[in-house]
Amino acid sequence: MDIKEIIALAGLLRNISRVAVLTGAGISAESGVPTFRGKDGLWNQFRAEDLATPEAFERDPALVWQWYNWRRGLIAKVEPNPAHKVLAQWERTFPSFVLITQNVDGLHKKAGSTNILELHGNIWKVRCTKESTVEENYLFPLPEIPPRCPACKALLRPHVIWFGESLDSAILNKAFVFSTSCEVMFAIGTSAFIQPAASFPIAAAEAGAKIVEINPDPTPLTYYADFSFREKAGEILPLIDDYLNKK
Ligand code: NAD
């Protein structure tokens, strides 16, 4: 761990007001939520096309829901870690702070963040396949698989973005605006393989922001990073925050 780098970053953060953060599955790894890639990643155990595509849902909604029910069970048991908590606190530290996440686990909200752009949806929300209404749903285990809309009895689906689906354009636009107008952008716990999320820090760098990457492994974003911390998010973010608060 390079303390000089942490001190330099804390000095920079003390003098700026607009921060954007992109998080990925790695920020929740220390809470016990499996990532998708990496040695314990979910895609080493399951095939994406069997479970996280609209075609898979059409073919076998019960199978897809069993998988989501299992993932909801994993996530229901875990708590936000120090990395989530520092980011929640930074909403009050910086005059402009936005959190853009690829995660669907809801742990940022549980940690206290309120200004969150959920690019890929939320595993605790369900959407009616007929009326497109979206509701929060924290039931675990689900009493009925596949669950049905209480109003119209059509199938409910997880309110998450599956492979081959488009992202919500209003959320995307906001994420782009915040990325290209911030002074510092963090990329935390993302392998930076999924687009368009991976392009936000690049757009930020091109617009003149300093880029901070936190990831034990290098990624395609490392090339753009002004600060690269090869550490676990839950260990390095509290340290950065400590130095930021030292006068
Ligand atoms: P990813 O699984 O592709 O990559 C995770 C990254 O996190 C890797 O680069 C890994 O080196 C890094 N990492 C692992 N432990 C870390 C730690 N303690 N601190 C910092 N970094 C750490 O994840 P992704 O880039 O978010 O993309 C995958 C997709 O997976 C996203 O669309 C997301 O919606 C979905 N996903 C979400 C969750 C979740 O909600 N928690 C979990 C799995 C997958």
Side-chain angles (χ1 to χ4, degrees):
M1 187 169 304
D2 189 343
I3 296 295
K4 276 198 205 135
E5 284 283 281
I6 298 177
I7 293 171
L9 174 59
L12 169 66
L13 292 174
R14 249 181 252 128
N15 289 305
I16 53 129
S17 57
R18 297 188 307 281
V19 174
V21 177
L22 172 70
T23 64
I27 196 168
S28 297
E30 288 159 82
S31 291
V33 184
T35 58
F36 273 2
R37 289 164 195 83
K39 73 174 166 34
D40 299 321
L42 289 171
W43 295 141
N44 292 339
Q45 304 163 51
F46 302 99
R47 279 158 42 97
E49 55 275 31
D50 289 342
L51 296 161
T53 63
E55 294 76 24
F57 188 71
E58 204 151 295
R59 202 167 45 236
D60 194 345
L63 175 72
V64 170
W65 265 116
Q66 273 153 11
W67 189 59
Y68 276 93
N69 188 50
W70 172 74
R71 286 185 63 201
R72 282 160 65 109
L74 285 181
I75 294 168
K77 286 200 293 270
V78 308
E79 292 299 328
N81 66 56
H84 297 106
K85 289 180 189 163
V86 166
L87 296 182
Q89 200 182 306
W90 281 3
E91 269 187 16
R92 294 183 293 278
T93 303
F94 297 99
S96 165
F97 183 85
V98 70
L99 182 51
I100 306 166
T101 189
Q102 298 168 85
N103 294 347
V104 297
D105 57 31
L107 286 177
H108 284 304
K109 183 176 169 199
K110 202 168 179 185
S113 286
T114 58
N115 195 8
I116 314 170
L117 297 175
E118 291 180 323
L119 293 175
H120 297 162
N122 190 309
I123 203 164
W124 299 112
K125 289 183 179 166
V126 294
R127 186 163 87 237
C128 175
T129 52
K130 193 167 160 208
E131 298 162 323
S132 299
T133 42
V134 176
E135 301 275 345
E136 286 197 334
N137 174 318
Y138 289 94
L139 296 175
F140 178 79
L142 285 163
E144 177 192 21
I145 289 184
R148 291 191 173 269
C149 173
C152 75
K153 304 293 173 225
L155 280 178
L156 291 172
R157 59 162 281 177
H159 185 53
V160 297
I161 306 285
W162 284 327
F163 290 95
E165 293 187 316
S166 309
L167 277 65
D168 181 311
S169 57
I171 295 178
L172 265 184
N173 286 342
K174 278 191 197 166
F176 184 76
V177 168
F178 280 110
S179 301
T180 52
S181 58
C182 67
E183 295 160 282
V184 171
M185 181 151 195
F186 285 77
I188 305 173
T190 176
S191 58
F193 283 118
I194 303 277
Q195 293 295 353
S199 65
F200 291 131
I202 299 173
E206 284 168 354
K210 298 283 184 206
I211 307 301
V212 184
E213 182 175 57
I214 298 178
N215 195 315
D217 295 325
T219 77
L221 292 178
T222 307
Y223 171 80
Y224 298 89
D226 298 279
F227 296 87
S228 280
F229 295 102
R230 298 268 151 269
E231 319 281 342
K232 292 184 172 175
E235 292 171 5
I236 192 83
L237 272 171
L239 262 179
I240 295 170
D241 187 53
D242 280 351
Y243 277 91
L244 175 60
N245 294 318
K246 273 186 188 154
K247 294 287 169 220

